[in-house]
């Protein structure tokens, strides 16, 4: 919770616990190093994040703790995907899937399938992207994690939007929003409304686009998510430009 709300404070707390940790408590050491890495991810300091993830991964591999080997590989894959190193991302995600299998934790595969789908999305291989998103949604293979499912639905909408299929994209966004509202998933809602604003803008439905970005701005401001607030404000500015409200857009 603290990593989401205050990454630097979470990291300081993790380091403090690490300093007082029993050297033989490898599991806690792995998790605290992983949390330190994640705190840097939220600050988009990927080089430091990778350093701490790799340190945690080294200990996890020594102790053959498959669930954490999988978790850390998944996190490293997300970073590689974010910086455009798609081959490395794919390798990490496959390693994550293999270790989730060894850990007999089918449920955690949902997020990794979705992440592989995003790799193919970035490579503009939309059919393969949809295949992996469908795997992520397959509740017969793994239990449903509602927050993850909302994220997958957002990803599918993103994919359809890039394929110039706005109706299909809006259909999946509606599903994502209904699910996120049901479970009070504010982060998922913020992303859904950002995507919705972008789609309505491409359709030249400026009032709907404006309203969607306004909702995402309200959520991001309430939760103090500076990055998402910036993304949403940029979207709103683009809408204003399309409405010839140039001065407001610059502001």
């Amino acid at each position: 919770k603290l990593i989401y709300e205050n990454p630097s404070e979470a990291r300081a707390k993790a380091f403090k616990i690490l300093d007082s940790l029993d050297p033989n408590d490898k599991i806690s050491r792995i998790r605290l190093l992983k949390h330190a890495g994640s705190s840097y991810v939220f600050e988009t300091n990927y080089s430091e994040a990778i350093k701490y993830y790799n340190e945690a991964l080294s200990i996890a591999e020594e102790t053959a703790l498959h669930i954490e080997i999988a978790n850390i590989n998944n996190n490293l894959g997300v970073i590689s995907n974010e910086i455009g190193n798609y081959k490395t991302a794919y390798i990490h995600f496959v390693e994550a899937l293999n270790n989730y299998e060894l850990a007999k934790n089918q449920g955690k595969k949902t997020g990794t399938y979705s992440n592989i789908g995003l790799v193919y999305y970035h490579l503009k291989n939309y059919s393969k992207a949809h295949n992996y998103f469908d795997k992520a949604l397959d509740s017969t293979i793994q239990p449903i994690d509602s927050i993850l499912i909302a994220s997958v639905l957002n990803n599918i909408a993103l994919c359809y939007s890039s394929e110039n299929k706005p109706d299909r994209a809006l259909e999946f966004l509606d599903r994502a929003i209904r699910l996120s509202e049901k479970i009070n998933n504010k982060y998922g809602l913020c992303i859904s409304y950002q995507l919705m604003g972008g789609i309505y803008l491409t359709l030249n439905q400026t009032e709907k686009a404006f309203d969607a970005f306004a909702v995402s701005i309200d959520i991001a401001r309430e939760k103090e998510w500076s990055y998402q607030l910036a993304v949403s404000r940029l979207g709103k500015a683009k809408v204003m430009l399309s409405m010839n409200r140039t001065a407001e857009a610059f502001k």
Side-chain angles (χ1 to χ4, degrees):
K1 183 173 185 293
L2 198 56
I3 287 170
Y4 278 88
E5 295 178 355
N6 192 329
S8 61
E9 188 181 335
R11 182 165 59 250
K13 191 169 187 177
F15 287 154
K16 185 177 179 181
I17 300 168
L18 273 168
D19 288 340
S20 62
L21 203 61
D22 183 334
N24 295 317
D25 189 354
K26 299 290 180 68
I27 293 175
S28 294
R29 184 165 296 277
I30 291 164
R31 289 175 180 163
L32 287 163
L33 288 167
K34 183 182 68 175
H35 292 330
S38 296
S39 73
Y40 280 116
V41 169
F42 275 87
E43 294 173 345
T44 61
N45 187 341
Y46 294 138
S47 60
E48 286 297 300
I50 290 168
K51 183 176 84 173
Y52 284 99
Y53 280 152
N54 281 333
E55 191 176 342
L57 183 59
S58 178
I59 301 169
E61 288 174 339
E62 285 173 14
T63 54
L65 190 59
H66 294 295
I67 187 65
E68 291 298 353
I69 294 172
N71 289 336
I72 297 162
N73 269 289
N74 189 65
N75 292 353
L76 285 166
V78 169
I79 292 175
S80 294
N81 203 12
E82 188 70 25
I83 63 179
N85 195 340
Y86 303 125
K87 182 178 180 181
T88 301
Y90 183 82
I91 291 168
H92 280 302
F93 291 141
V94 169
E95 189 68 15
L97 287 176
N98 290 339
N99 278 277
Y100 283 136
E101 190 68 36
L102 290 169
K104 295 181 171 53
N105 192 324
Q106 300 298 314
K108 294 285 282 184
K109 287 183 177 181
T110 298
T112 305
Y113 282 137
S114 182
N115 288 333
I116 295 174
L118 282 175
V119 170
Y120 282 114
Y121 164 78
H122 288 305
L123 294 171
K124 295 182 169 42
N125 189 334
Y126 300 127
S127 61
K128 280 199 172 183
H130 281 298
N131 286 341
Y132 277 97
F133 292 145
D134 288 343
K135 280 187 178 184
L137 289 179
D138 188 353
S139 60
T140 63
I141 296 174
Q142 60 267 334
I144 292 176
D145 179 329
S146 296
I147 291 176
L148 264 178
I149 295 304
S151 175
V152 176
L153 293 170
N154 280 336
N155 289 342
I156 293 172
L158 180 66
C159 207
Y160 276 126
S161 178
S162 296
E163 293 176 275
N164 294 316
K165 297 177 180 176
D167 290 342
R168 291 287 282 154
L170 290 169
E171 176 189 327
F172 277 90
L173 284 179
D174 284 340
R175 286 177 59 185
I177 288 168
R178 285 199 303 273
L179 178 58
S180 290
E181 286 177 340
K182 183 178 178 182
I183 60 176
N184 197 31
N185 173 20
K186 295 289 188 179
Y187 190 83
L189 279 173
C190 185
I191 302 300
S192 292
Y193 279 108
Q194 284 175 358
L195 293 171
M196 182 176 284
I199 291 167
Y200 279 130
L201 181 57
T202 61
L203 293 172
N204 204 32
Q205 297 185 32
T206 51
E207 292 297 333
K208 287 184 177 180
F210 188 92
D211 290 344
F213 281 122
V215 173
S216 67
I217 286 171
D218 288 344
I219 296 169
R221 184 181 288 120
E222 176 197 343
K223 293 296 181 180
E224 298 181 349
W225 292 328
S226 57
Y227 179 82
Q228 298 305 335
L229 182 57
V231 171
S232 300
R233 280 177 168 160
L234 184 59
K236 191 174 179 181
K238 289 177 179 177
V239 177
M240 288 173 171
L241 277 177
S242 72
M243 300 166 79
N244 294 319
R245 293 163 63 179
T246 310
E248 291 175 86
F250 274 120
K251 182 181 176 182

